[in-house]
């Protein structure tokens, strides 16, 4: 996009989906042997994940995000998912 241009919702959705698919493929390969379904949500992370948990087998989240509390063992989104999700939650910690 040119500077100061604002993408349409459809363009934003497509770019987020492509970026997510690229990141997943880089981490687990092009054909991981499992079904992966992508859904781009236009909502705050906790709301979108908790809503998605109602029909999911499992929700996978990172242990902490980009908030300002680097010393926390669990980020606020992960904590909300662990406490309120309608399915099991897997909290993934990075390889250090």
């Amino acid at each position: 996009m040119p500077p100061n241009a604002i993408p349409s919702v459809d363009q934003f959705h497509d770019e987020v989906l492509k970026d997510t698919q690229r990141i997943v493929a880089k981490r687990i390969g092009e054909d991981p042997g499992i079904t992966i379904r992508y859904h781009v949500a236009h909502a705050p992370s906790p709301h979108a994940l908790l809503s998605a948990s109602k029909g999911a087998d499992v929700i996978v989240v990172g242990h902490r995000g980009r908030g300002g509390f680097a010393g926390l063992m669990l980020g606020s989104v992960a904590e909300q998912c662990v406490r309120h999700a309608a399915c099991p939650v897997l909290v993934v910690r990075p390889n250090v």
Side-chain angles (χ1 to χ4, degrees):
M1 301 295 301
N4 299 322
I6 299 173
S8 70
V9 172
D10 289 338
Q11 288 171 318
F12 180 75
H13 177 276
D14 292 345
E15 287 302 313
V16 169
L17 181 59
K18 283 192 273 187
D19 273 354
T20 303
Q21 290 170 328
R22 180 186 50 77
I23 291 165
V24 169
K26 181 179 175 184
R27 294 285 186 184
I28 64 175
E30 292 289 335
D31 186 16
I34 59 172
T35 301
I36 299 173
R37 283 180 263 152
Y38 298 91
H39 175 75
V40 178
H42 301 277
S45 301
H47 298 284
L49 289 166
L50 292 174
S51 178
S53 77
K54 294 176 183 157
D57 294 324
V58 66
I59 295 285
V60 181
V61 296
H63 80 290
R64 64 170 302 283
R66 299 178 186 179
F69 301 101
L72 293 177
M73 294 298 290
L74 193 64
S76 61
V77 173
E79 182 178 2
Q80 289 293 312
C81 290
V82 168
R83 290 182 184 269
H84 302 292
C87 68
V89 177
L90 174 62
V91 180
V92 179
R93 298 188 60 83
N95 291 338
V96 183

